[in-house]
Amino acid sequence: MLQRIRDNASGPLAYVVVAVITLVFGVWGIGSYFTPSADPVVANVGGTDITRNQLENAYQQRYQRLRQMMGDNFDPSILNPERLRATVLDGLINREVMDQYAQDAGYRVTDGALLGAIRDDPQFQENGEFSAQRYRGLLAQAGIAPAQYEASLRQDLTSRQLRDEINESAFAAPAEVDQAYRLANQQRRVRYLSFDPASYRDGIEVDEAQIQTYYDDHPDAFKRPERVKLSYVSLDRSSAAADAGEPDEQTLRALFDENKQQFGEPERRSGGFLRVATGDDANAARDTIQELASASGDLQARAASNDNVEYESVDDAQRADLPQAVADSLFDLEPGKTSTPVKGPQAWYLVQLSQITPASEPSFDDPEVQAQLNAIASAQQGQQAFSDKSDRLESLAYEAPNDLDTLADELGLEIQTTDWVTRDGGSGIGQYDAVRKAAFTDAVLKDELNSTPIQLGAERQIVLRVAEHEPATRQPLDTVKDDIRERVIAREASQKAQAAADAALDKAKSGTSLQTLAQDGGAIEQKGFVQRSNRDVDPRILEAAFNISQPSEDAPGYRVTGTRDGDIALVAVDSVREAPASEAGTPRERFANQQRQYIAGLEYAVLGEYLRAQTDIEVNEDRIN
């Protein structure tokens, strides 16, 4: 049979078959090699990928933190999205470099430490005590498997060990602290003469020629920016989960059978153990534990006869709560029995079991179990529904690129619209730089196609197209004439105030007092002795005052600066008070600790830079934005 195949493999039929296979592979198969990934890699750090979704999630978290910090003062236009995204990516790379170093250096988090961190987390507690039900319930609501959360937490705790070790080892030399303390707490007597540009506005005339010249010299100042209105469909996890429906009993029972250990309490044991540290003499520790094993009485009584022996009670503990050597022995004993000597990594143990609390396993019909099962199943079904619809959304965006109706009809989505969006900002989805960047691409703007799916966080995707477009247009001169006149007047008034301050500076250096200078215009402000950290003084005034070199009563120092309110100020400093370096007490101690933390931060940053230089890092610039 095989020989017949070989004989016929060189005939005309073979060439036809090969041609067909080649065509099929060329049209369908090889395309997969050129189809962009749904989650492309933006960077590779020492063999570990950082994906676009990871970057987008971190970017949105940073963006939202900035919004919360700035509150009502938040202005998206002042942010440079590309620079912020690059900063976020740089942080992800730094973290991965440090994580890899911590792992290679042998930093580890034991199961006991991990469990302790989870138990101490207030969000998993009820009435001050850890609640396993709350822990599982919150993770289920978030769609996070316990194993996934615990792996992430273990990684964070491992990295924290490295940072803590550097923090604890850093120090600031006393002389360095003294000098920094003196400078930080130095006081300077500050006065300044302010010149308000508003007082120089009278008499400034602006003619038509000046207005025309300003208009011609600033062609971009009076443009209404290019803008678009967008139509879009939005797919998010919550809506996809709602379409998934309620989980059926078969699904819940299968989930219950797979995760029974999550719905009850593990076996617990009580008793106690003796610990003899190995120390520098392992043989002595072994002899001591053998003597204790051959003695009579309970463990606590045996420990009382030897100062080198520690006794620790075990009260209703899980296996993970105990050192591994103790746990292995305790959970292998019968009640009332005592183990033979047990060798641990750094000590010998003698273990005694007094009581067993059996593991509990609630029934499938238990209301609490049902609530947890429904939460877990709903989260899983919702995530699967979102994943399925997300895959289909990506396919339809390519298959039907000329309208949103096909996507909306097949996926049950509503077509929504935005207000005007510019390249620099907008409301609604227009606040996201990824949306604005996509809206102004040639494919979407000029070719009038749908965008590819845009990821907004981990649980939302949108596809958009341009509904209306208005190019950038320069506003007519008549429309902006009043604005230009005001700008010219303000500019000339500020120039006059600056000239008055410069003239006053020359006179002050020649010995004229500020009081005398104030008679020619300007208002004197007496601030007295202030520190660099003084919040009651304009920060620009403070900066100018502390940049004056070696002022004194015999030789006052002067400097002209603009103020936060737009005034021009002549700043004078005529006395300096040095903070005593030997000043004791809490303020200086706090400052010394701040210096130590500052140095620790520098050392951590230097380590990060060194490790980055030693690590193979590849960044795909074209995939960042």
mmCIF file of all heavy atoms in Angstrom, residues 5 25 45-46 73 140 161 185 187 217 230 233 248 278 307 332 334 386 412 449 488 493 509 546 592 596:
data_model
loop_
_atom_site.group_PDB
_atom_site.id
_atom_site.type_symbol
_atom_site.label_atom_id
_atom_site.label_comp_id
_atom_site.label_asym_id
_atom_site.label_seq_id
_atom_site.Cartn_x
_atom_site.Cartn_y
_atom_site.Cartn_z
ATOM 1 N N ILE A 5 1.503 4.314 -2.962
ATOM 2 C CA ILE A 5 1.403 5.763 -2.732
ATOM 3 C C ILE A 5 2.659 6.463 -3.230
ATOM 4 O O ILE A 5 2.609 7.514 -3.866
ATOM 5 C CB ILE A 5 1.174 6.047 -1.237
ATOM 6 C CG1 ILE A 5 -0.205 5.554 -0.825
ATOM 7 C CG2 ILE A 5 1.302 7.544 -0.937
ATOM 8 C CD1 ILE A 5 -0.477 5.660 0.665
ATOM 9 N N PHE A 25 -3.613 26.645 2.028
ATOM 10 C CA PHE A 25 -2.744 27.155 3.098
ATOM 11 C C PHE A 25 -2.464 28.647 2.916
ATOM 12 O O PHE A 25 -2.449 29.418 3.872
ATOM 13 C CB PHE A 25 -1.439 26.360 3.097
ATOM 14 C CG PHE A 25 -0.473 26.801 4.165
ATOM 15 C CD1 PHE A 25 -0.683 26.454 5.491
ATOM 16 C CD2 PHE A 25 0.629 27.574 3.842
ATOM 17 C CE1 PHE A 25 0.196 26.850 6.470
ATOM 18 C CE2 PHE A 25 1.504 27.981 4.813
ATOM 19 C CZ PHE A 25 1.284 27.608 6.135
ATOM 20 N N VAL A 45 10.778 41.682 28.898
ATOM 21 C CA VAL A 45 11.782 41.971 29.930
ATOM 22 C C VAL A 45 12.386 40.657 30.403
ATOM 23 O O VAL A 45 11.743 39.886 31.115
ATOM 24 C CB VAL A 45 11.150 42.714 31.121
ATOM 25 C CG1 VAL A 45 12.213 43.071 32.153
ATOM 26 C CG2 VAL A 45 10.429 43.969 30.654
ATOM 27 N N GLY A 46 13.593 40.387 29.976
ATOM 28 C CA GLY A 46 14.266 39.165 30.399
ATOM 29 C C GLY A 46 13.481 37.907 30.113
ATOM 30 O O GLY A 46 13.511 36.964 30.897
ATOM 31 N N ASN A 73 -10.155 70.182 39.972
ATOM 32 C CA ASN A 73 -9.117 70.896 39.216
ATOM 33 C C ASN A 73 -8.536 70.048 38.086
ATOM 34 O O ASN A 73 -7.639 70.508 37.376
ATOM 35 C CB ASN A 73 -7.974 71.323 40.148
ATOM 36 C CG ASN A 73 -8.442 72.321 41.191
ATOM 37 O OD1 ASN A 73 -9.242 73.203 40.895
ATOM 38 N ND2 ASN A 73 -7.939 72.188 42.414
ATOM 39 N N ALA A 140 -14.856 36.163 44.090
ATOM 40 C CA ALA A 140 -15.809 35.690 43.090
ATOM 41 C C ALA A 140 -16.499 36.857 42.396
ATOM 42 O O ALA A 140 -16.691 36.861 41.176
ATOM 43 C CB ALA A 140 -16.845 34.775 43.742
ATOM 44 N N GLN A 161 9.820 42.399 50.140
ATOM 45 C CA GLN A 161 10.947 41.974 50.977
ATOM 46 C C GLN A 161 12.233 42.677 50.547
ATOM 47 O O GLN A 161 13.013 43.147 51.382
ATOM 48 C CB GLN A 161 11.139 40.459 50.862
ATOM 49 C CG GLN A 161 10.108 39.632 51.611
ATOM 50 C CD GLN A 161 10.399 38.146 51.471
ATOM 51 O OE1 GLN A 161 11.127 37.730 50.580
ATOM 52 N NE2 GLN A 161 9.834 37.350 52.347
ATOM 53 N N ASN A 185 15.624 74.034 57.395
ATOM 54 C CA ASN A 185 14.967 74.809 58.439
ATOM 55 C C ASN A 185 15.510 76.234 58.558
ATOM 56 O O ASN A 185 15.181 76.945 59.508
ATOM 57 C CB ASN A 185 15.086 74.092 59.782
ATOM 58 C CG ASN A 185 14.280 72.807 59.813
ATOM 59 O OD1 ASN A 185 13.083 72.814 60.042
ATOM 60 N ND2 ASN A 185 14.958 71.695 59.554
ATOM 61 N N GLN A 187 15.769 80.102 58.107
ATOM 62 C CA GLN A 187 14.742 81.145 58.006
ATOM 63 C C GLN A 187 15.357 82.403 57.393
ATOM 64 O O GLN A 187 16.501 82.754 57.691
ATOM 65 C CB GLN A 187 14.165 81.468 59.384
ATOM 66 C CG GLN A 187 13.409 80.311 60.026
ATOM 67 C CD GLN A 187 12.816 80.702 61.365
ATOM 68 O OE1 GLN A 187 13.162 81.738 61.937
ATOM 69 N NE2 GLN A 187 11.919 79.868 61.867
ATOM 70 N N ASP A 217 0.663 87.502 13.425
ATOM 71 C CA ASP A 217 1.824 86.866 14.064
ATOM 72 C C ASP A 217 1.459 85.619 14.859
ATOM 73 O O ASP A 217 2.363 84.863 15.259
ATOM 74 C CB ASP A 217 2.516 87.861 15.004
ATOM 75 C CG ASP A 217 3.211 88.983 14.242
ATOM 76 O OD1 ASP A 217 3.398 88.829 13.021
ATOM 77 O OD2 ASP A 217 3.538 90.010 14.866
ATOM 78 N N LEU A 230 -18.461 61.043 17.171
ATOM 79 C CA LEU A 230 -18.254 59.617 16.957
ATOM 80 C C LEU A 230 -19.517 58.830 17.229
ATOM 81 O O LEU A 230 -20.296 59.165 18.123
ATOM 82 C CB LEU A 230 -17.140 59.102 17.869
ATOM 83 C CG LEU A 230 -15.786 59.809 17.781
ATOM 84 C CD1 LEU A 230 -14.855 59.293 18.855
ATOM 85 C CD2 LEU A 230 -15.177 59.627 16.396
ATOM 86 N N VAL A 233 -20.076 51.427 19.429
ATOM 87 C CA VAL A 233 -20.710 50.381 20.230
ATOM 88 C C VAL A 233 -19.738 50.020 21.338
ATOM 89 O O VAL A 233 -18.519 50.033 21.138
ATOM 90 C CB VAL A 233 -21.080 49.133 19.394
ATOM 91 C CG1 VAL A 233 -22.189 49.445 18.414
ATOM 92 C CG2 VAL A 233 -19.865 48.579 18.654
ATOM 93 N N ASP A 248 -27.369 27.163 35.803
ATOM 94 C CA ASP A 248 -28.306 26.091 36.126
ATOM 95 C C ASP A 248 -27.734 25.205 37.229
ATOM 96 O O ASP A 248 -26.560 25.322 37.611
ATOM 97 C CB ASP A 248 -28.651 25.267 34.887
ATOM 98 C CG ASP A 248 -27.415 24.696 34.198
ATOM 99 O OD1 ASP A 248 -26.416 24.417 34.889
ATOM 100 O OD2 ASP A 248 -27.444 24.537 32.968
ATOM 101 N N THR A 278 18.810 24.708 66.524
ATOM 102 C CA THR A 278 20.040 24.004 66.179
ATOM 103 C C THR A 278 21.258 24.835 66.551
ATOM 104 O O THR A 278 22.220 24.341 67.145
ATOM 105 C CB THR A 278 20.066 23.689 64.673
ATOM 106 O OG1 THR A 278 18.886 22.952 64.335
ATOM 107 C CG2 THR A 278 21.304 22.889 64.317
ATOM 108 N N ASP A 307 16.506 25.874 79.924
ATOM 109 C CA ASP A 307 16.358 27.244 79.437
ATOM 110 C C ASP A 307 16.496 27.345 77.924
ATOM 111 O O ASP A 307 16.087 28.351 77.329
ATOM 112 C CB ASP A 307 17.403 28.156 80.094
ATOM 113 C CG ASP A 307 17.179 28.288 81.596
ATOM 114 O OD1 ASP A 307 16.027 28.075 82.018
ATOM 115 O OD2 ASP A 307 18.155 28.604 82.312
ATOM 116 N N ASP A 332 -0.170 13.908 61.670
ATOM 117 C CA ASP A 332 0.006 12.473 61.489
ATOM 118 C C ASP A 332 -0.168 11.718 62.793
ATOM 119 O O ASP A 332 -0.064 10.495 62.833
ATOM 120 C CB ASP A 332 1.408 12.204 60.906
ATOM 121 C CG ASP A 332 1.548 10.791 60.364
ATOM 122 O OD1 ASP A 332 0.608 10.317 59.703
ATOM 123 O OD2 ASP A 332 2.609 10.175 60.599
ATOM 124 N N GLU A 334 -2.132 10.647 66.552
ATOM 125 C CA GLU A 334 -3.427 10.374 67.153
ATOM 126 C C GLU A 334 -3.546 11.229 68.414
ATOM 127 O O GLU A 334 -2.525 11.549 69.059
ATOM 128 C CB GLU A 334 -3.542 8.889 67.524
ATOM 129 C CG GLU A 334 -3.509 7.946 66.328
ATOM 130 C CD GLU A 334 -4.730 8.116 65.440
ATOM 131 O OE1 GLU A 334 -5.806 8.492 65.972
ATOM 132 O OE2 GLU A 334 -4.611 7.888 64.215
ATOM 133 N N PHE A 386 -18.238 37.426 28.010
ATOM 134 C CA PHE A 386 -17.501 38.611 27.567
ATOM 135 C C PHE A 386 -16.385 38.217 26.615
ATOM 136 O O PHE A 386 -16.156 38.883 25.595
ATOM 137 C CB PHE A 386 -16.933 39.338 28.782
ATOM 138 C CG PHE A 386 -16.084 40.523 28.441
ATOM 139 C CD1 PHE A 386 -16.620 41.646 27.839
ATOM 140 C CD2 PHE A 386 -14.717 40.516 28.723
ATOM 141 C CE1 PHE A 386 -15.833 42.743 27.523
ATOM 142 C CE2 PHE A 386 -13.930 41.599 28.407
ATOM 143 C CZ PHE A 386 -14.488 42.714 27.808
ATOM 144 N N GLY A 412 -26.136 42.472 20.036
ATOM 145 C CA GLY A 412 -27.129 43.070 20.924
ATOM 146 C C GLY A 412 -26.645 44.332 21.602
ATOM 147 O O GLY A 412 -26.950 44.573 22.777
ATOM 148 N N LEU A 449 -13.873 54.111 7.799
ATOM 149 C CA LEU A 449 -14.027 52.729 8.240
ATOM 150 C C LEU A 449 -14.218 52.672 9.745
ATOM 151 O O LEU A 449 -13.940 53.633 10.467
ATOM 152 C CB LEU A 449 -12.785 51.919 7.864
ATOM 153 C CG LEU A 449 -12.453 51.812 6.377
ATOM 154 C CD1 LEU A 449 -11.140 51.066 6.199
ATOM 155 C CD2 LEU A 449 -13.578 51.134 5.608
ATOM 156 N N VAL A 488 -3.246 92.290 23.935
ATOM 157 C CA VAL A 488 -2.206 93.293 23.686
ATOM 158 C C VAL A 488 -2.082 94.240 24.878
ATOM 159 O O VAL A 488 -0.976 94.574 25.320
ATOM 160 C CB VAL A 488 -2.503 94.061 22.392
ATOM 161 C CG1 VAL A 488 -1.508 95.226 22.227
ATOM 162 C CG2 VAL A 488 -2.421 93.128 21.184
ATOM 163 N N ALA A 493 0.861 96.089 29.591
ATOM 164 C CA ALA A 493 0.787 96.428 31.014
ATOM 165 C C ALA A 493 1.797 95.618 31.817
ATOM 166 O O ALA A 493 2.465 96.134 32.721
ATOM 167 C CB ALA A 493 -0.625 96.197 31.533
ATOM 168 N N LYS A 509 19.589 98.458 44.806
ATOM 169 C CA LYS A 509 21.001 98.084 44.886
ATOM 170 C C LYS A 509 21.884 99.297 45.173
ATOM 171 O O LYS A 509 22.991 99.147 45.709
ATOM 172 C CB LYS A 509 21.434 97.424 43.579
ATOM 173 C CG LYS A 509 20.879 96.024 43.381
ATOM 174 C CD LYS A 509 21.373 95.419 42.072
ATOM 175 C CE LYS A 509 20.893 93.990 41.899
ATOM 176 N NZ LYS A 509 21.361 93.402 40.612
ATOM 177 N N PHE A 546 15.080 82.397 48.516
ATOM 178 C CA PHE A 546 16.096 81.418 48.922
ATOM 179 C C PHE A 546 17.142 81.175 47.837
ATOM 180 O O PHE A 546 18.055 80.379 48.041
ATOM 181 C CB PHE A 546 15.433 80.123 49.356
ATOM 182 C CG PHE A 546 14.872 80.178 50.749
ATOM 183 C CD1 PHE A 546 13.572 80.600 50.970
ATOM 184 C CD2 PHE A 546 15.655 79.866 51.840
ATOM 185 C CE1 PHE A 546 13.050 80.679 52.257
ATOM 186 C CE2 PHE A 546 15.152 79.941 53.123
ATOM 187 C CZ PHE A 546 13.843 80.354 53.338
ATOM 188 N N ALA A 592 15.749 63.222 60.250
ATOM 189 C CA ALA A 592 16.795 62.229 60.004
ATOM 190 C C ALA A 592 16.210 60.970 59.378
ATOM 191 O O ALA A 592 16.801 60.368 58.470
ATOM 192 C CB ALA A 592 17.512 61.891 61.306
ATOM 193 N N ARG A 596 16.960 59.301 55.730
ATOM 194 C CA ARG A 596 17.297 57.883 55.539
ATOM 195 C C ARG A 596 16.387 57.251 54.486
ATOM 196 O O ARG A 596 16.848 56.493 53.625
ATOM 197 C CB ARG A 596 17.165 57.132 56.871
ATOM 198 C CG ARG A 596 17.658 55.693 56.818
ATOM 199 C CD ARG A 596 17.384 54.977 58.117
ATOM 200 N NE ARG A 596 15.964 54.892 58.386
ATOM 201 C CZ ARG A 596 15.151 54.014 57.799
ATOM 202 N NH1 ARG A 596 15.630 53.155 56.912
ATOM 203 N NH2 ARG A 596 13.871 53.975 58.105
#
